Amino acid sequence: MPEVLDWGPSAFHKRANSFLFNRMGKKVKKEAEPPPKDVFDPLTVESKKVATVVLMLNSPEEEILAKACEAIYRFALKGEENKATLLELGAVEPLTKLLTHEDKIVRRNATMIFGILASNNDVKKLLRELDVVNSVIARLAPEEEVVIHEFASLCLANMSVEYTSKVQIFEQGGLEPLIRLLSSPDPDVKKNSIECIYNLVQDFRCRATLQELNAIPPILDLLKSEYPIIQLLALKTLGVITNDKASRAMLRENQGVDQLIKILETKELNDLHIEALSVVANCIEDMDTMVLIQQTGGLKKLLSFAENSTIPEIQKNAARAIAKAAYDPENRKLFHELEVEKCLVSLLGSENDGTKIAASQAISAMCENSGSKEFFNNQGIPQLIQLLKSDSEEVREAAALALANLTTCNPANAKAAAEGDGIDALINTLSSKRDGAIANAATVLTNMAMQEPLRLGIQSHDVMHALLSPLHSANTIVQSKAALTVAATACDAEARTELRNAGGLEPLVELLRSKNEEVRRNASWAVMVCAGDEPMAVELCRLGALEILEEINVSVSRKNKFSEAAYNKLLNNYLSLKYSQTGYLSSSNIISDGFYDYGRINPGTKLLPLKDLCLQEPSDQRAILLINSRSSDVSPPPSTEDKSSDVGYGRSISSSSSLRRASKEKTNFHFSAGFGSPTEEKSEPTSGRNTAVSKSTTKEKGSRKGRGKKEEEKVKEEEEVAAAPKLTGEGSLEKEWFPPSDPDFCVYVYEVTKSVLPITNIKEQIEVLAKYVAEKMGGKIPKEKLQDFSWELHISELKFQLKSNVVPIGLIKKGIFYHRALLFKALADKIGVGCSLVRGEYGRAWNEVKLMSESRKGVMGALPPLEVYIVDLMFHPGSLIKLRSREADHYRFL
C-alpha cells in the first residue's frame, strides 16, 4: 500500500467550525488579530498517494522537501516494488538535485534515499546516465554527518558492482575518501567503504592507485574489528590486491603476515580461515614473504589445514598455498619430508572440484622433486587419470597438467600412465573445450610416445584423427604441442599413412607459416618426421611444404635447425624433385623405382606427380626419363625386341584375385640386387636379351651375391611399396595405378648384378659398369661425330610409340650425356657403387666418383684423402677423368 503521509489537524476545518458556532448565537471569545493580507496562511496536508509526495520534491520549501524525502525513504525501505514505483514516478531526477541542497537535513534525507534506491538495477542504470557519482562522492567529505557518510558509501557500494560505475567512481576520485572512511568510528561506514573498495579493486587501475594511497594499513586494521562481516570483506580485499607484487611487499612491511597467521591459529575465527588462506597463498609468491611464513611455521599450518579440515574451501585454499610454495626448492624439500604427497593424493578424491584442481596443481609443482615424482608413480597417477574423465573442464585441465609434469623425463611414470588406461582418456581430452587441457594432454602423449610399445598403443587409439582439431586450433601453445605429438607418433609408415588419410598434413603444413617461433620449429620437426618416405614427401611437396620451408630458411630470424633438416629430408626422399631443382644427387641419394627426371625446373615450380605426367599427351618438351625395375604383372618381362608393344601405361588391378597376385608378386620378388627378371631354371641367360629366365632363381642368386646393407635397404623399399596402396584410401582399391614397367631395365639390373657386383676392385667395377652403360646407349661416340649422333629422332619415335612424354630408361638405345649418366647412377645404386649425378648446361650430365689417390696407395698412417673423378660414358667409356682438370672441363662444358 502507498505510504499515508500525516501532516496534522487541518487549520481550514478549525476556522469553519468557529464560524458556524457564531451563527448559532453562542458566546465566543474575541477573535485574534488577523494575519497580514500578503502572508499565506500555513497549510497542513495529509497525503495518501506517493505520487503526490514525489511532486513535492520540486517544492522550494526546505521543510516540505525534508519531510517528503523522509516519507519516500520509509516507502523505499519496504521493498523492491516500491523502488520500482518511485523510478516510474520520476522521483530519481528531482532527488539528484537535492543531494547538493544547502539544507543539511534535505541533503541527508536525499542521500539516505539513494543509499537504498541504488540496490535496484534500473535505478543504477539511470544514476549512471544522470552522472550523480560526483555528487555522491562529495557527500563523503569530512564535514558531512556520519549518517550521510553511511548512506553515501552504501550508494557507492551498490553502484560499484557494475564495471561502468567502477570506472566513474575511480575517475572521479572516489577511492581516496573511501580509504579515509575506513578509519571512521561508525561500523556501518567501515563496512560500506570496504565493500565498495573490494568491488573497485577488481580493476587493475584501482589496485595500482590503492598502493599509492597507502591503503594496506587501514585495511589491516579492519582485521581487528569486532564485526565478522568487516573482517571478511577486509580479507577478501587483501585477497585481490595481493595478486600484485607491490601490495604483497606492503603487506609484509606492515606486519600483515603475522595477523594472518594469528587468524589461522585462532579456532574461534574459523569462519575467516578460507579467505585468510587465500591471502597467504598469494603472499607465498613473494620470496621474502614466503621466508617469513616459513620461519613462523606457516607451511606446517598449511599442511595441517589441508589434512585435517573438513571444509572444502579451506582444503582448496590450503592446497593452492602449498602449490605456490612448492615452486621453491627448499619448500619442496620440506613438504616432501612432511609427506605432503599422501595429503595431496587424498585431496584428489574430494567431492569439491576446486579442491581437486588445487591438489592437481600442487602435485604439478611437487613434480620438480624427484622423490615426489617416484611416490606419485603408484599413488596419484591412477587418480589423476580418473580426473581426466571428469565432467568439469577445469578439473581435466589441472589433471592433464599434473600428468604432463609427472611424465616429462620420467619413462616409468609415462608407462604407469599408459598402464592405468590413460591413453584413451588423454586422447579424449584432445577434444576438450579448454586449450590448456588439450596442450597438456598432447604433452603427455608425446612423453609416452618416446617408448615404442607405448607409441604403438597410442597409434592403435586413432590418435591421428584426434590430433586434427588441435592442429586447427588458433592457440599457438596447442598448435605447438600438437605438432610435437605428430613428430613423436608418426615414426612409421602406417602412422604417417593414417595421418595423411585423416587430412592431417594440410594443417601441419599451414603451421609452417606461423609467426610463432616454437610453432614453426615443432611443425618443421613434424614435417621432417612425416617426410620419412617418398609417398609422404611427394604429398607434402604437393601441399607446398617445400616452398614454405625454402622461404623460412632464407630468413635469418625465422629459420631453425629443424626447418633446414625438414627441407633436406623432403628433397632426399623426393629425389625426382631434388634433381629437377638442384641438378645434383649425391652418392647417398639412392635412386629407387619410380624416380623420374623431368628436367630442370626453377625453385618454387610445382613438379607434377608421375601419374599425371604419364596421362598427358606427348608434346614437344624433352622426354621424362623413368627408372622402374618393378613389374606391374607377375609374368616375366618380355624381350627387348617387342618392347614397344608390351609397355603398359596406367595399368590397373581391378579384382581381388589380381590384388592377391600383385601381393604375392611383391612377396616373392626380392629387390636386394635391384632387378626383376629371375627364372626358376638353373641355367643363366646368355645375354641381356634372353628373358626366358624366371624371377625366383635370379632372386636367389642375386641375394647370395648382393651386399647385406643393400639387401636390407631393398627389403625396406619393398615394404614401402607394399604399403603404398594404403595411401590412396579404402575407396581406391578397385583401381590401383602402377607406373609403366621397364623390362629392359630389369634385364640391365640382372646382368649388372651378375657381371659387375662380384668384382672386388671398386675402380674396375666403375670401368666395367661405364662400358656396359655406353654399350646399351649406343656405344662409344667420338667427339668429332657427336653432332651426327641422331638421338633426338630416336627419343621422338619412342614418345610417339608410347603416346606419352614419359620414357622408361631401358627403352632408350641411343642416349646422350644425361641419358647415360642417369642410367649409370641407377645401376650403380642397385649394386652399391657410390657415385653422384650432376646436371650441367646444354644437355650435359655426368657422374662423379671418389677413389683413393694412386700415389697414396700402400702408404701407412692416416687414411689418404679421396680424389674425385668424372666417369666418361661418351668419348672413352670407362675412363676416369680427374675433376679439376682441363679434360674434365672439356667433358662437362665443351
Side-chain angles (χ1 to χ4, degrees):
M1 289 185 61
E3 174 76 6
V4 178
L5 304 177
D6 186 6
W7 293 81
S10 172
F12 175 78
H13 286 287
K14 286 183 179 180
R15 294 187 65 186
N17 289 337
S18 175
F19 174 74
L20 291 173
F21 194 66
N22 286 336
R23 291 284 301 270
M24 294 175 66
K26 290 185 179 182
K27 185 178 179 180
V28 296
K29 292 182 180 180
K30 186 178 179 180
E31 292 184 6
E33 186 177 348
K37 292 180 180 181
D38 58 345
V39 176
F40 183 76
D41 296 336
L43 177 65
T44 302
V45 179
E46 182 179 291
S47 176
K48 295 184 179 180
K49 297 291 184 180
V50 68
T52 305
V53 182
V54 170
L55 293 174
M56 293 177 181
L57 294 175
N58 293 310
S59 171
E61 297 186 45
E62 296 172 354
E63 185 178 357
I64 292 176
L65 291 173
K67 290 185 177 181
C69 288
E70 185 179 350
I72 290 174
Y73 169 74
R74 290 198 302 270
F75 179 71
L77 273 177
K78 293 182 179 180
E80 289 297 317
E81 292 182 2
N82 291 355
K83 296 174 186 176
T85 301
L86 289 170
L87 179 64
E88 293 173 3
L89 293 173
V92 176
E93 289 86 344
L95 281 170
T96 57
K97 299 175 183 178
L98 301 183
L99 282 172
T100 56
H101 200 278
E102 295 178 357
D103 185 78
K104 284 187 176 182
I105 297 176
V106 174
R107 200 162 60 240
R108 179 194 66 194
N109 292 352
T111 304
M112 291 171 64
I113 294 172
F114 278 117
I116 301 301
L117 286 180
S119 64
N120 182 278
N121 291 329
D122 294 327
V123 173
K124 276 189 281 194
K125 182 179 179 181
L126 181 57
L127 290 177
R128 288 198 304 271
E129 294 172 358
L130 296 173
D131 196 17
V132 299
V133 170
N134 195 39
S135 300
V136 178
I137 292 173
R139 303 287 69 79
L140 302 178
E143 60 270 13
E144 296 286 1
E145 299 177 13
V146 174
V147 176
I148 293 180
H149 287 168
E150 176 187 346
F151 285 95
S153 59
L154 177 61
C155 176
L156 293 176
N158 286 329
M159 292 187 67
S160 62
V161 174
E162 297 180 353
Y163 176 75
T164 308
S165 297
K166 282 188 181 75
V167 175
Q168 287 183 343
I169 295 171
F170 172 73
E171 291 181 347
Q172 297 185 30
L175 202 54
E176 185 174 0
L178 286 168
I179 293 172
R180 187 183 64 250
L181 290 179
L182 294 178
S183 304
S184 171
D186 186 84
D188 289 320
V189 175
K190 290 181 177 179
K191 183 262 179 187
N192 295 337
S193 299
I194 189 63
E195 183 176 2
C196 185
I197 291 172
Y198 169 68
N199 292 335
L200 291 176
V201 295
Q202 308 299 322
D203 181 67
F204 74 96
R205 293 188 301 168
C206 294
R207 291 199 295 271
T209 306
L210 206 68
Q211 298 163 13
E212 297 172 4
L213 296 174
N214 196 29
I216 299 290
I219 294 176
L220 287 174
D221 288 340
L222 296 182
L223 296 180
K224 303 172 185 177
S225 172
E226 57 183 315
Y227 298 97
I229 184 62
I230 295 178
Q231 293 175 307
L232 186 63
L233 286 169
L235 285 171
K236 283 189 171 184
T237 306
L238 290 172
V240 176
I241 63 178
T242 50
N243 285 311
D244 299 326
K245 185 176 181 180
S247 295
R248 292 195 292 268
M250 197 176 294
L251 181 78
R252 183 184 68 252
E253 293 166 1
N254 288 275
Q255 288 76 47
V257 176
D258 295 336
Q259 289 184 248
L260 293 170
I261 297 298
K262 286 179 183 178
I263 291 174
L264 293 175
E265 291 174 346
T266 307
K267 293 183 179 179
E268 291 77 12
L269 299 177
N270 57 1
D271 55 330
L272 303 177
H273 287 172
I274 294 174
E275 300 302 331
L277 283 169
S278 179
V279 180
V280 170
N282 290 340
C283 292
I284 285 178
E285 293 185 18
D286 183 68
M287 184 59 66
D288 294 331
T289 307
M290 184 178 64
V291 171
L292 185 59
I293 292 174
Q294 190 178 23
Q295 291 172 351
T296 57
L299 296 183
K300 292 183 180 179
K301 192 68 182 176
L302 291 176
L303 186 56
S304 174
F305 273 110
E307 288 179 334
N308 303 323
S309 178
T310 57
I311 302 173
E313 286 296 317
I314 290 180
Q315 291 179 325
K316 180 187 77 172
N317 287 340
R320 277 185 61 234
I322 291 171
K324 292 184 178 181
Y327 284 105
D328 178 70
E330 292 298 322
N331 291 343
R332 284 197 299 272
K333 183 178 179 182
L334 174 62
F335 281 140
H336 182 59
E337 292 172 357
L338 296 173
E339 297 184 330
V340 71
E341 296 88 355
K342 293 181 180 178
C343 171
L344 295 176
V345 170
S346 67
L347 291 180
L348 292 177
S350 171
E351 295 181 0
N352 181 273
D353 284 347
T355 305
K356 294 175 184 176
I357 293 170
S360 300
Q361 292 170 342
I363 290 174
S364 300
M366 288 299 298
C367 285
E368 294 295 324
N369 183 284
S370 58
S372 298
K373 241 179 183 179
E374 293 176 6
F375 177 89
F376 291 124
N377 181 273
N378 296 319
Q379 301 181 53
I381 288 180
Q383 290 88 335
L384 289 168
I385 291 172
Q386 289 303 313
L387 293 185
L388 289 177
K389 304 172 185 178
S390 170
D391 294 332
S392 168
E393 294 285 351
E394 292 83 356
V395 172
R396 295 171 68 188
E397 179 178 4
L401 173 63
L403 286 171
N405 289 339
L406 282 169
T407 55
T408 298
C409 301
N410 194 307
N413 283 350
K415 185 178 180 181
E419 292 174 349
D421 195 26
I423 295 177
D424 192 49
L426 288 164
I427 289 178
N428 289 336
T429 306
L430 292 177
S431 59
S432 171
K433 297 177 181 178
R434 296 182 68 89
D435 290 335
I438 298 171
N440 293 330
T443 300
V444 181
L445 290 171
T446 302
N447 294 337
M448 288 181 175
M450 297 297 104
Q451 302 175 57
E452 185 175 0
L454 304 187
R455 183 171 68 248
L456 296 176
I458 293 170
Q459 291 169 352
S460 68
H461 282 74
D462 202 15
V463 67
M464 296 306 177
H465 278 90
L467 285 169
L468 281 184
S469 179
L471 287 173
H472 282 100
S473 173
N475 185 290
T476 54
I477 297 177
V478 174
Q479 293 172 349
S480 173
K481 300 300 183 184
L484 197 58
T485 306
V486 170
T489 54
C491 297
D492 53 68
E494 187 175 352
R496 292 192 289 268
T497 302
E498 184 183 345
L499 179 66
R500 177 183 175 182
N501 291 341
L505 293 184
E506 289 86 346
L508 186 62
V509 170
E510 198 60 32
L511 291 183
L512 293 173
R513 304 181 188 273
S514 174
K515 296 180 180 179
N516 183 280
E517 183 178 356
E518 186 178 356
V519 173
R520 281 199 312 274
R521 183 177 67 87
N522 289 347
S524 300
W525 191 349
V527 167
M528 182 188 72
V529 173
C530 289
D533 52 65
E534 185 174 353
M536 291 292 288
V538 171
E539 180 65 12
L540 286 167
C541 290
R542 185 187 70 81
L543 295 172
L546 194 71
E547 290 82 1
I548 300 172
L549 288 167
E550 187 175 16
E551 181 184 343
I552 291 173
N553 292 334
V554 168
S555 170
V556 177
S557 60
R558 297 176 64 206
K559 73 176 181 179
N560 55 75
K561 292 183 178 180
F562 286 105
S563 66
E564 294 173 343
Y567 181 82
N568 293 329
K569 187 78 171 286
L570 279 173
L571 286 180
N572 289 334
N573 281 312
Y574 192 4
L575 295 182
S576 301
L577 177 61
K578 180 176 182 179
Y579 188 50
S580 292
Q581 277 201 357
T582 66
Y584 179 79
L585 295 181
S586 69
S587 58
S588 61
N589 297 140
I590 307 300
I591 291 179
S592 60
D593 294 323
F595 174 89
Y596 58 100
D597 176 13
Y598 181 84
R600 189 191 305 274
I601 63 173
N602 295 323
T605 305
K606 294 280 186 180
L607 179 64
L608 291 176
L610 178 61
K611 180 179 178 181
D612 294 349
L613 294 172
C614 287
L615 298 178
Q616 289 180 350
E617 293 294 325
S619 65
D620 57 354
Q621 75 174 64
R622 57 152 278 179
I624 300 166
L625 308 181
L626 172 65
I627 303 295
N628 184 22
S629 65
R630 286 198 302 264
S631 174
S632 59
D633 199 13
V634 293
S635 59
S639 64
T640 55
E641 282 79 8
D642 51 10
K643 57 187 175 293
S644 62
S645 60
D646 287 354
V647 174
Y649 278 49
R651 189 176 299 226
S652 64
I653 301 174
S654 58
S655 66
S656 58
S657 61
S658 298
L659 283 172
R660 284 193 294 272
R661 287 202 312 272
S663 175
K664 184 177 179 181
E665 175 201 352
K666 291 170 187 174
T667 304
N668 293 335
F669 280 22
H670 200 292
F671 299 104
S672 62
F675 59 89
S677 60
T679 176
E680 292 180 357
E681 300 176 12
K682 294 183 179 179
S683 60
E684 299 178 2
T686 56
S687 71
R689 298 185 180 273
N690 187 347
T691 57
V693 202
S694 128
K695 297 180 177 175
S696 58
T697 305
T698 308
K699 165 182 174 293
E700 293 170 3
K701 294 180 179 180
S703 299
R704 287 194 297 268
K705 296 179 181 180
R707 301 183 182 183
K709 184 175 180 181
K710 292 300 295 180
E711 182 174 343
E712 291 176 4
E713 291 176 355
K714 289 302 167 184
V715 169
K716 181 179 178 182
E717 179 183 328
E718 186 181 23
E719 290 173 353
E720 292 177 356
V721 171
K726 299 179 183 178
L727 295 176
T728 60
E730 296 178 0
S732 62
L733 286 177
E734 294 181 358
K735 191 173 183 179
E736 191 70 35
W737 182 86
F738 286 93
S741 59
D742 190 353
D744 288 7
F745 182 66
C746 294
V747 174
Y748 293 171
V749 173
Y750 171 74
E751 291 180 345
V752 166
T753 304
K754 295 292 292 180
S755 59
V756 180
L757 184 60
I759 300 174
T760 56
N761 183 281
I762 183 66
K763 182 179 179 182
E764 188 179 346
Q765 275 187 321
I766 293 170
E767 291 171 349
V768 173
L769 180 60
K771 292 176 181 177
Y772 180 86
V773 168
E775 178 189 348
K776 298 302 179 185
M777 286 284 180
K780 174 182 177 180
I781 310 296
K783 294 180 183 178
E784 61 273 9
K785 294 184 178 181
L786 184 61
Q787 300 296 329
D788 301 329
F789 187 58
S790 59
W791 61 274
E792 295 98 334
L793 179 61
H794 171 63
I795 299 296
S796 298
E797 290 174 349
L798 288 176
K799 289 167 61 177
F800 178 77
Q801 292 172 358
L802 299 171
K803 297 182 175 57
S804 172
N805 287 323
V806 178
V807 178
I809 193 74
L811 298 183
I812 299 175
K813 303 307 174 188
K814 289 186 176 182
I816 197 68
F817 291 94
Y818 71 90
H819 303 115
R820 299 185 182 205
L822 177 60
L823 180 59
F824 183 89
K825 168 70 173 169
L827 292 174
D829 287 346
K830 294 291 184 184
I831 60 174
V833 174
C835 74
S836 61
L837 176 63
V838 186
R839 189 195 306 278
E841 301 292 338
Y842 312 113
R844 296 294 177 104
W846 60 90
N847 304 103
E848 296 177 357
V849 295
K850 291 182 179 180
L851 297 174
M852 187 184 303
S853 174
E854 293 290 339
S855 60
R856 297 287 298 175
K857 283 185 179 179
V859 178
M860 301 295 291
L863 290 174
L866 298 178
E867 292 186 348
V868 181
Y869 295 87
I870 291 177
V871 181
D872 189 344
L873 300 172
M874 289 288 294
F875 308 132
H876 303 284
S879 63
L880 301 178
I881 310 168
K882 264 193 177 182
L883 182 61
R884 292 180 176 83
S885 66
R886 182 176 299 177
E887 189 179 357
D889 293 339
H890 183 84
Y891 184 86
R892 290 185 297 170
F893 304 116
L894 300 181

